[in-house]
């Protein structure tokens, strides 16, 4: 074929493959196709089949391998891990870039070094552990079967014999034991002498003398100082009485001022040469010496106004006020003659005289402060005016507030009562300060997790006892202190408690002003005592005694409820003897509860409560012994009837409930002989019937037919003939249902006795029946009646038992009816 023909045929094929689509058409000549083929062949032969397969694999996933290879070639690790090139000092951008990269490199290097060291430590630890195991195995292999022959082996004898009466170890640490001893002493003083000692002072002395913790001692000290103002009435609400008076504000200021005087004296003693203290030892001279030390350098006087004898006047006045001595401040102002109006106002504040003249001078000074002193360069002068005028609460006086005490003292000094506020001037109230400390600043501001005593003191000084104690109770170490602080405050009626013991530990009463909260002392104390009530029962009862005036939901003393719960949850004989004492013990020792004798409750009331709770929980046997202790024999009789009806028909076995009930009945009968029991007649009749049935079944199971028949005949519970069925059914109705429950077993036992007697007479030809004991008045002709008459009489009794089983208002078990009918039929 010629080339022209090939060209024409190729054009035809091209026209056939042309499609009506928007895709661009690629035209290649034969030479271009040949060139592309050669390039592809050379590429495949040079790179090999592996690169081809890689191209095909990555291409199927949408990856352009040539482009990816180009990107990888452009990557360089030189700028990341190689030393940086130095830059000139004037190139700030390069300098910052180098610093940033140096910081990154240092972190990477430090991390690598830490990882390497950690791996090294773990490696050697593992090596040493494996060496130790290998040495141990080698030594064990050397011992062999005869360990006595192994040389130089020291053996330590371990005591494995337990004590005769092992006791659990105490759950109280030293601090908790000291607190518990103080609580016991306090309770005994109330029980024996009838007066309350100062528990708060006792705890504060204990913390100062016995605890090796200065911070705990300081917490008790500030609480004792603030609680020195007892409420006017013990029936008044603690929260309302605390907020209704300014005594707590003044008390907090006095505490902070005393601490600052101690600080000033400490600084003076450490710098005696600079202080040059002399004259009368009072606040005036102490402040003069203290200011001399702080402003010994002339440069410290820059910006301060009214320098007096080389010392800043307003610093002298401020520190006099900071120490709580208005007289010293008035004296400084009088000596210098500066600001006569302020001198007169301070003099009136010292004398406590307020009136129209006081208000006029105060108003003039406020105008002066707002117009001039807000921009004053002397921070001491601004602080003095803010103190005297009780204004400008938003000025933090940052130059002078060197501690939390300084800040709190200033805030307490500028407080105004709610009813004495001037609503055209922005002023701070007591509730506002409390909200500022508790809510605005809060625990994070004071770093309360690490400085718990500091935050506690701030809350106490602002009158928020409940929030302070709740915060302290969150940590395990401070919880004992918090619990006893709450106890001490409650004993002097200064703790705000909720109306219900079911409230959470800290709660808010809508009637209380914000942000005051109430602390659930009951929940806190019970939770605390629950931890050691098993191992330290006596100490736990001492704490529960503090709750005797609280009432539970049923109106009972909360102390009785707590002890009742303790006994119900751990009601064994050892715990009962520990609480109530053992009556059979000749040593004369009484139980723990005997020392809490009051007119409101005694051990008999407690024993009855525990017995009722155990009865409710179906622990009847233990409840019976509690009722014995409580002297409630009527309840004992009821429970005995209930239990005896369940087991009276069973054969006697050792350690069974039936055997234990026999011991209870013997003890009950002994008490009935010396104590009158007030119980309903039908309960007494039921008890008497069941105790006799106990005797009946004892004879029945011992095959003593004669004695069993006599016991059954004496109580007329089963009929002798069909005419007595209605009488026996009427007797059952006068008794409690407990006897009716035993009736199927009674009828079966009676039928077995009749059938046994019937079989014996029929086989042996006897002439006397054991069921004839009630007919002792019959004539001798009846006793000598022939055999057929006796058998007929026994069949009549059996028929009467069957009739009674279907007559009595009790659904007999099917097996019982079947057995009764079967035995009756066997007698015919």
């Amino acid at each position: 074929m010629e080339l022209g023909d090939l060209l024409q045929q190729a054009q035809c094929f091209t026209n056939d493959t042309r499609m009506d689509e928007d895709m661009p058409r690629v035209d290649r000549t034969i030479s271009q196709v040949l060139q592309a083929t050669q390039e592809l062949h050379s590429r495949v032969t040079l790179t090999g089949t592996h690169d081809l397969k890689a191209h095909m694999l990555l291409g199927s996933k949408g990856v352009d391998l040539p482009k990816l290879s180009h990107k990888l070639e452009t990557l360089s690790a030189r700028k990341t891990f190689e030393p940086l090139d130095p830059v000139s000092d004037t190139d700030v951008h390069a300098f910052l870039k180098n610093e940033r990269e140096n910081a990154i490199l240092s972190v990477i290097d430090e991390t690598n070094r830490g990882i390497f060291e950690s791996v090294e430590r773990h490696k050697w630890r593992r090596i040493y552990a494996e060496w130790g195991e290998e040495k141990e195995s080698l030594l064990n292999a050397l011992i062999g079967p005869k360990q006595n022959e192994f040389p130089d082996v020291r053996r330590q004898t371990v005591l494995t014999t337990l004590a005769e009466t092992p006791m659990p170890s105490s759950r109280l640490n030293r601090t908790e034991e000291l607190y518990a001893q103080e609580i016991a002493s306090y309770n005994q003083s109330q029980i024996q002498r009838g007066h309350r000692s100062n528990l708060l002072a006792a705890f504060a002395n204990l913390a100062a003398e016995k605890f090796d913790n200065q911070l705990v001692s300081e917490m008790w000290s500030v609480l004792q100082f603030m609680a020195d103002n007892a409420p006017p009435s013990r029936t008044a609400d603690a929260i309302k009485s605390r907020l209704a008076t300014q005594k707590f504000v003044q008390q907090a200021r006095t505490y902070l001022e005393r601490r600052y005087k101690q600080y000033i004296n400490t600084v003076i003693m450490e710098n005696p040469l600079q202080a040059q203290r002399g004259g009368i030892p009072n606040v005036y001279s102490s402040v003069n010496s203290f200011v001399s030390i702080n402003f010994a350098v002339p440069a410290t006087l820059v910006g301060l106004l009214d320098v007096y004898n080389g010392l800043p006047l307003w610093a002298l006045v401020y520190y006099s006020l900071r120490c709580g001595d208005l007289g010293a401040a008035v004296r400084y102002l009088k000596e210098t003659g500066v600001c006569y109006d302020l001198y007169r106002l301070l003099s009136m504040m010292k004398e406590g005289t307020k009136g129209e003249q006081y208000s006029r001078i105060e108003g003039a000074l406020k105008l002066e402060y707002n117009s001039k002193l807000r921009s004053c360069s002397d921070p001491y002068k601004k602080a003095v005016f803010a103190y005297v005028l009780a204004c400008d609460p938003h000025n933090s006086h940052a130059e002078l507030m060197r501690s939390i005490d300084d800040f709190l003292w200033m805030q307490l000094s500028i407080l105004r009562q709610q009813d004495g506020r001037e609503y055209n001037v922005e002023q701070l109230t007591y509730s506002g300060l409390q909200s500022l400390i508790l809510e605005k600043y809060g625990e994070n501001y004071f770093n309360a997790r690490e400085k718990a005593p500091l935050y506690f003191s701030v809350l106490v000084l602002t009158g928020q006892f409940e929030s302070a104690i709740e915060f302290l109770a969150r940590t395990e170490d401070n919880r004992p202190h918090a619990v006893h602080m709450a106890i001490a405050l409650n004993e002097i009626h200064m703790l705000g408690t909720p109306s219900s013991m079911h409230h959470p530990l800290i709660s808010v009463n809508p009637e209380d002003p914000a942000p005051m909260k109430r602390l659930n002392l009951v929940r806190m104390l019970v939770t605390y005592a629950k931890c050691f009530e098993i191992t330290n029962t006596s100490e736990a009862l001492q704490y529960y005694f503090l709750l005797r005036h609280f009432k539970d939901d049923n109106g009972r003393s909360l102390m009785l409820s707590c002890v009742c719960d303790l006994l119900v949850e751990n009601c064994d004989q050892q715990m009962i003897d520990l609480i109530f004492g053992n009556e059979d013990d000749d040593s004369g020792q009484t139980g723990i509860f005997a020392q809490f004798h009051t007119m409101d409750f005694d051990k008999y009331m407690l024993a009855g409560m525990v017995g009722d709770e155990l009865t409710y929980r179906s622990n009847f046997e233990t409840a019976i012994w509690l009722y014995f202790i409580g002297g409630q024999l009527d309840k004992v009789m009821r429970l005995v009837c209930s239990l005896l009806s369940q087991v009276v028909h069973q054969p006697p076995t050792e350690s069974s409930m039936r055997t234990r009930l026999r011991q209870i009945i013997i003890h009950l009968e002994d008490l009935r002989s010396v104590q009158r029991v007030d119980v309903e007649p039908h309960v007494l009749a039921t008890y008497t019937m069941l105790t006799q049935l106990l005797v009946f079944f004892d004879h029945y199971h011992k095959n003593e037919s004669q004695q069993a028949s006599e016991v059954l005949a004496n109580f007329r519970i089963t009929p002798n003939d069909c005419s007595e069925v209605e009488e026996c059914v009427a007797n059952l109705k006068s008794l409690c249902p407990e006897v009716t429950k035993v009736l199927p077993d009674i009828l079966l036992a009676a039928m077995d006795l009749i059938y046994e007697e019937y079989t014996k007479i029929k086989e042996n030809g006897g002439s006397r029946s054991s069921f004839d004991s009630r007919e002792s008045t019959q004539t001798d002709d009846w006793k000598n009646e022939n055999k057929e008459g006796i058998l007929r009489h026994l069949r009549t009794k059996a028929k009467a038992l069957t009739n009674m089983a279907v007559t009595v208002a009790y659904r007999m078990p099917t097996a019982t009816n079947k057995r009764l009918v079967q035995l009756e039929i066997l007698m015919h």
Side-chain angles (χ1 to χ4, degrees):
M1 186 178 291
E2 297 180 356
L3 293 177
D5 296 333
L6 288 175
L7 179 60
Q8 184 179 2
Q9 188 175 1
Q11 289 177 353
C12 292
F13 286 149
T14 302
N15 294 330
D16 294 336
T17 57
R18 183 176 299 170
M19 300 175 65
D20 297 330
E21 292 182 359
D22 296 332
M23 295 296 293
R25 183 181 176 190
V26 179
D27 295 329
R28 285 191 179 186
T29 62
I30 297 300
S31 59
Q32 290 176 341
V33 173
L34 180 60
Q35 183 180 0
T37 304
Q38 292 176 353
E39 289 178 356
L40 180 62
H41 179 267
S42 60
R43 188 184 307 168
V44 171
T45 54
L46 290 176
T47 57
T49 57
H50 294 292
D51 288 350
L52 179 60
K53 292 180 180 179
H55 278 276
M56 294 173 63
L57 176 61
L58 294 177
S60 63
K61 300 298 180 180
V63 178
D64 190 355
L65 187 58
K67 186 181 295 185
L68 182 62
S69 301
H70 178 70
K71 290 183 178 180
L72 292 176
E73 291 174 358
T74 58
L75 292 179
S76 175
R78 183 185 62 82
K79 296 183 180 181
T80 304
F81 298 101
E82 291 182 2
L84 301 176
D85 297 330
V87 296
S88 60
D89 297 337
T90 58
D91 191 356
V92 178
H93 179 72
F95 174 79
L96 294 177
K97 181 179 179 182
N98 282 358
E99 289 296 322
R100 179 176 178 274
E101 293 179 355
N102 280 329
I104 295 174
L105 291 175
S106 63
V107 171
I108 295 174
D109 184 65
E110 185 177 356
T111 303
N112 290 336
R113 191 184 305 111
I115 294 173
F116 178 81
E117 292 175 356
S118 177
V119 172
E120 192 74 10
R121 286 195 304 270
H122 284 293
K123 180 190 72 174
W124 284 111
R125 187 180 302 142
R126 183 60 184 169
I127 291 174
Y128 288 142
E130 291 177 355
W131 287 356
E133 293 174 358
E134 188 67 18
K135 287 187 290 185
E136 184 178 356
S137 62
L138 292 175
L139 290 175
N140 292 335
L142 288 175
I143 293 176
K146 297 181 180 180
Q147 298 185 8
N148 294 329
E149 298 179 357
F150 191 76
D152 299 333
V153 174
R154 297 182 180 180
R155 295 178 175 83
Q156 183 178 0
T157 303
V158 180
L159 181 63
T160 58
T161 305
L162 296 177
E164 296 181 359
T165 57
M167 296 295 293
S169 60
S170 174
R171 292 288 300 274
L172 300 177
N173 56 31
R174 179 179 176 274
T175 301
E176 294 168 342
E177 286 180 354
L178 292 174
Y179 276 131
Q181 293 173 7
E182 203 65 44
I183 289 289
S185 176
Y186 174 74
N187 289 339
Q188 291 305 315
S189 66
Q190 289 193 73
I191 295 173
Q192 296 175 2
R193 294 188 290 273
H195 73 277
R196 296 172 179 263
S197 58
N198 193 340
L199 185 60
L200 184 58
F203 282 148
N205 294 333
L206 179 68
E209 297 174 1
K210 299 295 182 63
F211 298 163
D212 299 331
N213 193 330
Q214 184 64 27
L215 296 177
V216 173
S217 179
E218 290 180 1
M219 288 192 295
W220 275 108
S221 177
V222 66
L223 184 64
Q224 181 188 11
F225 193 89
M226 289 298 297
D228 194 25
N229 291 317
S233 174
R234 292 185 178 272
T235 59
D237 186 75
I239 299 293
K240 295 179 180 178
S241 60
R242 190 186 311 165
L243 298 178
T245 178
Q246 284 290 318
K247 291 183 179 179
F248 284 95
V249 177
Q250 184 60 40
Q251 196 80 351
R253 285 175 51 187
T254 304
Y255 179 81
L256 294 172
E257 288 163 358
R258 289 184 180 181
R259 289 187 58 175
Y260 203 76
K261 283 192 287 187
Q262 296 176 359
Y263 166 72
I264 285 179
N265 292 329
T266 303
V267 173
I268 292 173
M269 293 178 63
E270 293 176 354
N271 302 275
L273 296 179
Q274 295 180 2
Q276 298 180 359
R277 190 171 188 175
I280 302 174
N282 54 15
V283 174
Y284 179 84
S285 59
S286 299
V287 168
N288 196 79
S289 301
F290 179 73
V291 173
S292 300
I293 296 172
N294 288 341
F295 297 93
V297 180
T300 57
L301 300 175
V302 176
L304 302 183
L305 305 177
D306 302 322
V307 177
Y308 170 68
N309 292 334
L311 299 177
L313 169 64
W314 297 109
L316 295 170
V317 176
Y318 170 77
Y319 287 119
S320 299
L321 297 176
R322 183 66 180 86
C323 294
D325 195 337
L326 292 176
V330 170
R331 182 177 173 183
Y332 280 119
L333 290 174
K334 183 179 180 180
E335 291 177 354
T336 57
V338 176
C339 197
Y340 181 70
D341 289 341
L342 184 63
Y343 162 73
R344 292 173 61 192
L345 196 65
L346 276 175
S347 301
M348 292 180 185
M349 290 178 61
K350 177 186 175 185
E351 297 172 358
T353 58
K354 292 187 178 182
E356 182 179 354
Q357 185 180 8
Y358 182 90
S359 301
R360 181 175 55 81
I361 297 174
E362 184 181 24
L365 289 176
K366 284 183 179 179
L367 291 175
E368 181 182 356
Y369 180 81
N370 292 327
S371 61
K372 298 180 181 180
L373 295 182
R374 284 183 181 274
S375 58
C376 177
S377 62
D378 192 340
Y380 294 97
K381 187 173 183 179
K382 288 191 291 185
V384 169
F385 271 79
Y387 172 90
V388 176
L389 302 176
C391 63
D392 201 8
H394 295 294
N395 190 347
S396 60
H397 304 282
E399 301 89 344
L400 308 180
M401 302 297 105
R402 296 180 175 86
S403 66
I404 296 296
D405 286 0
D406 295 333
F407 166 78
L408 192 58
W409 174 83
M410 178 57 72
Q411 297 298 317
L412 290 169
S413 300
I414 63 176
L415 289 182
R416 285 293 181 93
Q417 293 185 359
Q418 192 71 26
D419 54 355
R421 294 182 59 192
E422 300 177 14
Y423 291 95
N424 58 339
V425 180
E426 196 169 0
Q427 293 174 330
L428 184 66
T429 62
Y430 196 28
S431 298
L433 176 59
Q434 291 173 336
S435 300
L436 182 70
I437 297 297
L438 183 64
E439 297 175 354
K440 182 176 180 180
Y441 291 138
E443 300 177 16
N444 293 332
Y445 178 82
F446 292 97
N447 194 12
R449 291 181 178 272
E450 298 180 3
K451 299 179 180 180
L454 174 63
Y455 188 58
F456 172 83
S457 300
V458 171
L459 291 176
V460 170
L461 289 171
T462 53
Q464 304 181 80
F465 297 159
E466 295 77 16
S467 299
I469 294 175
E470 186 272 336
F471 160 73
L472 210 61
R474 297 180 201 167
T475 56
E476 189 70 26
D477 295 337
N478 293 323
R479 187 172 296 119
H481 309 302
V483 171
H484 293 88
M485 287 174 181
I487 292 172
L489 288 177
N490 183 71
E491 290 299 309
I492 58 177
H493 303 278
M494 292 192 67
L495 185 71
T497 56
S499 58
S500 174
M501 65 178 183
H502 299 294
H503 280 73
L505 184 61
I506 195 76
S507 60
V508 178
N509 189 344
E511 298 179 358
D512 296 335
M516 296 303 295
K517 295 179 174 57
R518 293 183 178 266
L519 184 71
N520 193 339
L521 174 67
V522 174
R523 183 182 294 272
M524 175 179 281
L525 196 150
V526 171
T527 304
Y528 176 75
K530 280 283 185 183
C531 298
F532 55 84
E533 65 178 7
I534 303 300
T535 58
N536 303 82
T537 308
S538 179
E539 288 79 0
L541 262 63
Q542 296 288 350
Y543 284 95
Y544 292 149
F545 182 73
L546 299 171
L547 302 176
R548 64 193 180 279
H549 299 305
F550 291 87
K551 301 297 181 182
D552 61 2
D553 296 335
N554 298 322
R556 303 175 300 186
S557 172
L558 198 57
M559 177 195 178
L560 292 180
S561 299
C562 292
V563 182
C564 177
D565 293 341
L566 167 63
L567 286 169
V568 169
E569 295 173 3
N570 307 277
C571 198
D572 52 11
Q573 191 60 42
Q574 183 180 1
M575 182 62 71
I576 293 176
D577 294 342
L578 181 64
I579 300 294
F580 298 105
N582 191 353
E583 296 179 356
D584 300 331
D585 192 359
D586 298 333
S587 61
Q589 295 181 355
T590 57
I592 299 174
F593 199 78
Q595 58 184 315
F596 302 107
H597 53 83
T598 63
M599 297 181 64
D600 298 331
F601 50 80
D602 51 18
K603 74 172 187 178
Y604 305 106
M605 184 183 296
L606 174 63
M609 285 181 58
V610 179
D612 292 342
E613 185 64 26
L614 291 173
T615 303
Y616 177 75
R617 300 190 182 194
S618 302
N619 191 354
F620 298 130
E621 288 188 73
T622 311
I624 287 174
W625 292 110
L626 268 299
Y627 285 139
F628 275 135
I629 297 174
Q632 301 177 6
L633 300 184
D634 55 334
K635 296 183 178 180
V636 174
M637 197 172 290
R638 292 176 183 274
L639 288 182
V640 167
C641 292
S642 178
L643 293 176
L644 202 56
S645 64
Q646 304 175 35
V647 298
V648 67
H649 61 282
Q650 297 177 358
T653 56
E654 187 178 359
S655 301
S656 64
M657 180 184 291
R658 192 175 188 275
T659 305
R660 297 194 298 271
L661 284 175
R662 179 177 291 278
Q663 300 298 325
I664 292 173
I665 292 172
I666 294 173
H667 186 61
L668 178 59
E669 293 299 325
D670 293 340
L671 293 178
R672 286 183 62 192
S673 61
V674 296
Q675 181 178 344
R676 183 170 177 265
V677 182
D678 295 330
V679 67
E680 293 85 349
H682 67 280
V683 176
L684 181 60
T686 302
Y687 170 76
T688 305
M689 177 64 71
L690 288 173
T691 52
Q692 292 302 317
L693 288 176
L694 184 67
V695 178
F696 162 73
F697 279 105
D698 283 344
H699 293 308
Y700 170 74
H701 290 297
K702 293 179 182 179
N703 296 324
E704 298 174 354
S705 303
Q706 181 68 27
Q707 293 85 341
S709 300
E710 290 177 357
V711 172
L712 197 61
N714 290 335
F715 285 88
R716 299 186 63 81
I717 194 173
T718 56
N720 282 329
D721 53 39
C722 294
S723 62
E724 297 180 357
V725 172
E726 294 184 359
E727 179 184 357
C728 293
V729 172
N731 292 336
L732 281 175
K733 291 181 179 180
S734 63
L735 300 175
C736 293
E738 283 79 4
V739 178
T740 309
K741 294 178 182 178
V742 195
L743 184 60
D745 300 286
I746 297 174
L747 295 178
L748 284 176
M751 185 66 79
D752 286 341
L753 291 176
I754 294 172
Y755 180 73
E756 181 183 354
E757 188 73 15
Y758 179 88
T759 305
K760 186 185 298 183
I761 293 176
K762 192 171 184 179
E763 291 178 355
N764 299 332
S767 61
R768 187 176 184 276
S769 173
S770 61
F771 286 85
D772 295 339
S773 57
R774 285 190 294 173
E775 280 98 13
S776 60
T777 58
Q778 299 290 340
T779 61
D780 294 338
D781 295 338
W782 171 254
K783 296 180 180 180
N784 297 325
E785 189 179 5
N786 57 21
K787 174 181 177 181
E788 188 60 30
I790 297 174
L791 294 177
R792 186 168 52 253
H793 178 67
L794 293 175
R795 285 194 291 270
T796 303
K797 287 186 175 183
K799 181 64 176 177
L801 291 177
T802 307
N803 291 342
M804 184 177 179
V806 298
T807 305
V808 70
Y810 181 78
R811 186 173 182 178
M812 292 288 177
T814 305
T816 301
N817 289 326
K818 182 178 179 181
R819 179 64 176 169
L820 290 174
V821 173
Q822 182 181 9
L823 291 177
E824 182 188 357
I825 293 174
L826 291 176
M827 294 183 193
H828 290 279

